[in-house]
Structure formats: structure tokens, C-alpha cells
Amino acid sequence: MKTKKYIIYHGREDALPTLTRFTIPQPVQPSNVSMSIPSQCVRCQRIGGHPYNIPRGLLIPNVPVLHADRTWTPKSDSWKDIMRHWTEGEPRLGLTLPLKDWPHHYHNGPLGQQFNTKYYQRSVIATEFLDKFQGNEEAFLEAYGSAASQGHTKLLKAVLDACKQHPEDGARRSHLANEQRSSPSHTSIA
């Protein structure tokens, strides 16, 4: 182990300084050993005044998504970005672990302030689509098309309102479909 010598001068400005010598051990890296950063590197962040290691890929991207060509996903398709983040992740945005696979402590506990609300909002939309509509995009858009076309926030509100009004899955789905067919904006030309 190498050491570096430091000299510190003590004393007042108007007096002669006193000299203190000390050494700090420095680790020596052998030339035949290479340093590599592990793939699951962590970043340190202060949460609640305490340092907390956050695994790489632990973030929830904003929607609509900004693409590499500097264009944004249309608001009407932001729910599809949410579905991709939920089921596949999006490594190019830093989301390496799909939201559906996040352990409970990622979106609760010390990280709760940062992730809980976004995670909950994404889970409401994703579970409505995947569980209640079995991933059927046509049926989902038939029920929520007007809200989905206005963006993910309006879609979330529509899903939450539908859950309050019709807590039973089948009743909600059929009611929404009937409501959509009878609305004046959804008229068919014969």
C-alpha cells in the first residue's frame, strides 16, 4: 500500500506556524487487474436525510415519452407507453425492470415518495387493460377511447370513475361499452 504525505500548518496568522505530518494510506491497483463496474450498479441518493442505494433501472419514465429524434409520443398513445413500461420495461429510458416485476419495497418504504403515486397510476391503467379487458385493445378503446385519446391522465380518471360506479368487472365492461355506443359522439352512418 502506498502512502501520501500531507503537511498541515497550525497556528495563528501572527504567530509562527507549527508543523504536523501525517500519512494517509492509498490502495494500490496492480497493473494487471482491471476495474469494472457491475451491471447492477447502484446510485446513492438521500431519502429522508439518510443515504439509500437505488438499483440501476429503478425509475418510472414520464409519459408522453420523448424519443431520440426529439419527437413526443402523441397523447392518444401514451397509454401504450404505460403498457410497455408495465410489461417489458424500456431500457433506452433507463427502465430496465418492467414495472409489473418491481418488488413491493421499490414503490413503498423509503422510495415511496418518489415512486408510489406514479406506480399506482400506471398499475391502474395496466391492470384494467390486461386483467379486465384481457389485453383486447379494441374492447378497451371501445370502453375508454374518448378518454384515452386525450392522454393518460384523462384515461386514469375514467378508469377510476368506472371502478367506483361499477366495481364488478363484467358489469363495468358491458356498461362502458353500452354507454359508448349510446353516446352522441359515437353515431354510426348506415
Side-chain angles (χ1 to χ4, degrees), residues 76-124:
S76 59
D77 290 336
S78 63
W79 73 273
K80 292 178 182 177
D81 287 332
I82 290 171
M83 294 310 306
R84 186 173 39 262
H85 298 165
W86 187 261
T87 58
E88 304 166 19
E90 189 135 12
R92 72 179 181 83
L93 298 177
L95 179 63
T96 57
L97 183 65
L99 293 174
K100 70 178 176 62
D101 296 333
W102 277 27
H104 187 263
H105 68 274
Y106 278 12
H107 55 92
N108 283 292
L111 302 174
Q113 288 179 319
Q114 189 173 359
F115 297 120
N116 197 304
T117 302
K118 265 187 173 179
Y119 182 89
Y120 170 74
Q121 292 170 347
R122 303 308 199 261
S123 73
V124 167

